[in-house]
Amino acid sequence: MTNKNIAFRKIISSESFKSISSAILCALSGILVGFIILAIINAEHAPKAMATILKNFFYYKKTNMKLFYLGSTLVKSVPLILCALSVLFAYKSGLFNIGVGGQYCLGIGITLWCALQWNLPWFVCILMAVIVSALWGAISGVLKAFFNVNEVIACIMMNWISLYIVNIMMQKESIMDVSKSETFAITARSPASLLPKLGLDRLFSNNQYVTIAIPLTIIIAVLIWVVLNKTTFGYELKATGLNKNAAKYAGMKDKCNIIITMAIAGALAGLAASLFYLTDMQPWKTSSTVPAMGFNGIAVTFLGGLNPIGVLVAGYFIQHITFGGSLIDMHYYNPQIADLISSIIIYACGFVLFFKDMMAKIASHKKEDK
């Protein structure tokens, strides 16, 4: 066997290759199923509709329009990526943070309250949202650590509690335009609460929503990778997740680690809310459901191969197709078809571990045959 063949076999048997290839397979399978549904509804315009979804900002002919909508896609990717990092951080520590939607929701409420009610500067708004969401996440950690309450059950209950709290908070007339059932624009009420742009908006054709949130998200993803893979603290968290009793026997503070993990996961969700809503891209509307951002973050986590850097790419991809779906010609398709196609692709992304496991089994069978 030549050196090239040996090197090739090492690449395809590596965890990185399996993660990347399985993620691509998931995305392609979701796109294929989405195309089939489009074809069933209207076969003639299905190719153009799917091309529109995949093109996103390339749909526009003018360069300035492409740059503007690229910036908007990046801005909307920020909360999705950070929510996914919240899920990932807890998952790496052996916990399933299904409460990220509620933590994100509470982060929205605190952010908008600080901005519209108290007119606080942007960094204080972020700090308050991060602290409150961290404490909210820590509650599930305490229930898990001291009372052995499954974190999934605790998080689901906390999701609904946070939604109702935020709906009540936002009913104040100084915060919400009751006639529209949505919060006032931060730009008009508290400009000092908006995130600084530092000239980044000019790179995207003066898109006023492009702020420091984008580079901050990249930095945070890198920091999480460093913490989990290069620090003693990260090792202890992962060890506690793998075997709580063994970690305790080794002298690690297992209960403390569980609480800290959920607190950090909650803080990331709160940060996601602040970095998005302080761009003033969209208001909070009175809702009867927990924000889907948290649940979409679960799919992004696994599509990204449970790697913080992979999550950056996966989060952008999901937002890319979601934003592209809104550009479909509604003369031939129901307006809700964009959400349906995006949901199918996101759902398919949940099978990334299945594809990864399948590829590992195929590789092991080939080794046995030889």
Side-chain angles (χ1 to χ4, degrees):
M1 187 179 294
T2 63
N3 291 332
K4 287 184 179 180
N5 288 333
I6 294 172
F8 178 73
R9 289 186 182 280
K10 284 183 178 180
I11 291 172
I12 62 174
S13 61
S14 66
E15 286 297 314
S16 299
F17 177 82
K18 290 175 185 176
S19 298
I20 294 170
S21 55
S22 57
I24 292 172
L25 284 172
C26 282
L28 290 176
S29 61
I31 291 169
L32 177 61
V33 174
F35 177 76
I36 292 171
I37 291 175
L38 287 172
I40 291 172
I41 297 172
N42 190 317
E44 182 182 354
H45 295 92
K48 184 179 178 181
M50 183 52 70
T52 300
I53 292 173
L54 297 177
K55 281 181 180 178
N56 189 349
F57 55 88
F58 286 110
Y59 172 83
Y60 298 95
K61 293 181 180 179
K62 295 182 179 179
T63 303
N64 63 327
M65 293 294 287
K66 289 179 181 178
L67 288 172
F68 185 90
Y69 284 102
L70 169 59
S72 296
T73 305
L74 290 170
V75 171
K76 289 192 172 185
S77 299
V78 165
L80 185 58
I81 291 169
L82 288 171
C83 283
L85 290 173
S86 174
V87 176
L88 181 146
F89 193 88
Y91 191 86
K92 285 286 188 179
S93 304
L95 299 168
F96 190 26
N97 183 25
I98 201 171
V100 64
Q103 296 150 14
Y104 176 76
C105 183
L106 192 62
I108 295 171
I110 298 300
T111 297
L112 293 178
W113 183 278
C114 290
L116 297 172
Q117 178 65 23
W118 292 337
N119 303 120
L120 296 175
W122 61 273
F123 55 88
V124 179
C125 294
I126 291 175
L127 184 61
M128 290 293 291
V130 167
I131 291 172
V132 173
S133 293
L135 292 173
W136 196 254
I139 294 173
S140 298
V142 169
L143 292 173
K144 171 76 173 180
F146 291 100
F147 304 101
N148 202 28
V149 176
N150 188 287
E151 72 274 12
V152 174
I153 296 173
C155 285
I156 290 173
M157 292 189 295
M158 298 296 283
N159 282 345
W160 291 104
I161 294 170
S162 64
L163 174 66
Y164 298 137
I165 288 174
V166 172
N167 277 337
I168 293 170
M169 287 175 62
M170 296 298 102
Q171 290 303 311
K172 197 170 179 63
E173 291 184 0
S174 58
I175 296 176
M176 177 168 280
D177 185 344
V178 181
S179 62
K180 296 181 180 178
S181 292
E182 64 180 39
T183 53
F184 291 108
I186 298 175
T187 306
R189 293 297 180 101
S190 181
S193 301
L194 293 172
L195 288 173
K197 300 177 177 61
L198 299 183
L200 292 173
D201 55 327
R202 293 196 291 271
L203 298 176
F204 296 92
S205 191
N206 293 317
N207 188 327
Q208 70 270 31
Y209 305 118
V210 176
T211 64
I212 60 170
I214 296 171
L216 278 177
T217 300
I218 297 171
I219 293 169
I220 290 163
V222 174
L223 284 175
I224 289 175
W225 182 86
V226 171
V227 168
L228 289 173
N229 296 286
K230 302 295 181 181
T231 66
T232 304
F233 174 66
Y235 172 79
E236 287 190 4
L237 292 182
K238 290 190 288 185
T240 302
L242 290 171
N243 193 318
K244 184 173 68 173
N245 294 325
K248 184 178 180 180
Y249 182 77
M252 299 177 189
K253 299 178 180 178
D254 56 317
K255 292 180 179 180
C256 183
N257 286 342
I258 290 171
I259 297 169
I260 290 173
T261 296
M262 290 303 296
I264 293 174
L268 287 168
L271 182 63
S274 283
L275 291 185
F276 180 61
Y277 276 83
L278 290 181
T279 64
D280 210 21
M281 192 174 206
Q282 72 179 46
W284 164 266
K285 296 183 179 182
T286 302
S287 177
S288 59
T289 57
V290 179
M293 191 69 70
F295 301 108
N296 291 345
I298 297 172
V300 172
T301 300
F302 291 103
L303 182 63
L306 296 172
N307 184 294
I309 309 305
V311 163
L312 285 173
V313 179
Y316 174 79
F317 170 74
I318 294 297
Q319 191 54 54
H320 181 93
I321 59 173
T322 302
F323 204 85
S326 64
L327 301 174
I328 293 177
D329 192 338
M330 297 308 169
H331 287 97
Y332 307 106
Y333 297 98
N334 185 288
Q336 294 178 329
I337 193 65
D339 293 331
L340 174 62
I341 300 302
S342 298
S343 299
I344 289 170
I345 295 174
I346 291 170
Y347 183 78
C349 293
F351 290 91
V352 66
L353 292 182
F354 167 77
F355 282 110
K356 188 175 179 180
D357 185 57
M358 186 174 64
M359 292 173 65
K361 287 180 179 179
I362 293 171
S364 63
H365 284 314
K366 286 184 177 181
K367 286 181 180 180
E368 289 175 4
D369 292 339
K370 292 182 179 181

